[in-house]
Amino acid sequence: MKLKLAILGSGSGSNMQSIVDAIEAHTLDAEIVCVLTDVPDAKILERAARHHLPGRYVSCAPFRTKLDGAAQEETIRLMREAGADTVVLAGFMRIVKPALLAAFPNRVLNIHPALLPAFPGLCSWKQALDYGCRVAGCTVHFVDAGTDSGPIIVQKAVPIEPNDTPETLHARIQVQEHIAYPEALRLLSEGRLHIQGRRVIIR
Ligand code: GAR
């Protein structure tokens, strides 16, 4: 089924770019129907404009770390109006609340720069490096009411090299993110993802 994606991002939008590239290469059956950001000058809006995708800033004040209240209602309204059936959190640095999850049940996905459940939260690649891990990575998962805690769809491992800095490690994790997100969305579009409790069964 052709997915109608609403993308929510706060930053550069490289994950959105990987999804745009997969759609344009006809390896993902999807359409991006809106791009929303909580950061007025986020680069993701420039990328959206470059690909003629409708992009928009939604002020999330007074909240700093969550999408709640009127801003969440407005976000839901804009996504519905655009005809979205799937919400893609692509570097969206806010916690979404139950109203949004209820509006798109089992259709909100997130990408996180760690092998969950290790290192939820911020700057996870740095957390993995500081911890002394040998392997880091990324996770695409369904979003639930917790923080970075929903059922896991795809994970990619990235070995940590002796000379890695947070920047070099994050750059290599991002290379894998750009493979993982289109892969997870492809599985969703093919109707192959089945949530059973905590587990996602791929058929
Ligand atoms: C990505 O590394 C993504 O995993 C991370 O933000 C970056 C966004 O990059 N997300 C989180 O940390 C969410 N907790 P992008 O704007 O270039 O896609």
Side-chain angles (χ1 to χ4, degrees):
M1 193 191 68
K2 184 174 195 145
L3 302 175
K4 294 193 177 268
L5 308 176
I7 309 259
L8 269 57
S10 308
S12 105
S14 71
N15 276 286
M16 180 188 76
Q17 187 70 55
S18 73
I19 295 164
V20 169
D21 293 346
I23 293 171
E24 289 182 353
H26 302 288
T27 57
L28 173 62
D29 191 15
E31 176 190 355
I32 295 175
V33 296
C34 66
V35 179
L36 303 177
T37 182
D38 59 328
V39 176
D41 57 353
K43 202 169 155 214
I44 195 169
L45 283 181
E46 286 171 35
R47 287 191 201 259
R50 220 178 293 146
H51 291 274
H52 310 290
L53 301 170
R56 183 145 165 193
Y57 161 66
V58 177
S59 166
C60 294
F63 307 112
R64 287 193 310 120
T65 58
K66 62 182 179 177
L67 176 64
D68 207 347
Q72 181 164 245
E73 290 309 318
E74 174 71 348
T75 300
I76 294 169
R77 192 185 67 73
L78 290 168
M79 294 193 295
R80 282 193 170 135
E81 201 174 272
D85 58 29
T86 304
V87 181
V88 174
L89 307 183
F92 189 62
M93 303 310 282
R94 289 176 182 271
I95 307 292
V96 301
K97 306 304 280 183
L100 189 144
L101 300 177
F104 295 91
N106 292 336
R107 299 294 280 200
V108 184
L109 281 70
N110 181 44
I111 190 153
H112 184 73
L115 294 174
L116 292 170
F119 309 123
L122 296 177
C123 298
S124 310
W125 59 90
K126 186 168 183 307
Q127 293 187 56
L129 196 59
D130 291 348
Y131 193 90
C133 293
R134 300 287 181 193
V135 179
C138 63
T139 303
V140 181
H141 63 95
F142 287 108
V143 176
D144 66 8
T147 302
D148 302 323
S149 61
I152 290 170
I153 304 168
V154 172
Q155 290 189 303
K156 303 281 181 198
V158 175
I160 296 180
E161 308 293 349
N163 295 329
D164 261 331
T165 63
E167 292 73 29
T168 60
L169 179 58
H170 188 214
R172 285 207 317 291
I173 291 172
Q174 285 221 292
V175 171
Q176 294 305 313
E177 290 184 356
H178 301 158
I179 298 168
Y181 227 157
E183 188 177 314
L185 289 168
R186 196 172 308 124
L187 291 168
L188 184 68
S189 76
E190 292 170 352
R192 295 178 59 196
L193 301 180
H194 305 273
I195 302 176
Q196 288 182 11
R198 270 222 56 83
R199 297 182 66 197
V200 176
I201 309 295
I202 300 176
R203 291 207 187 93

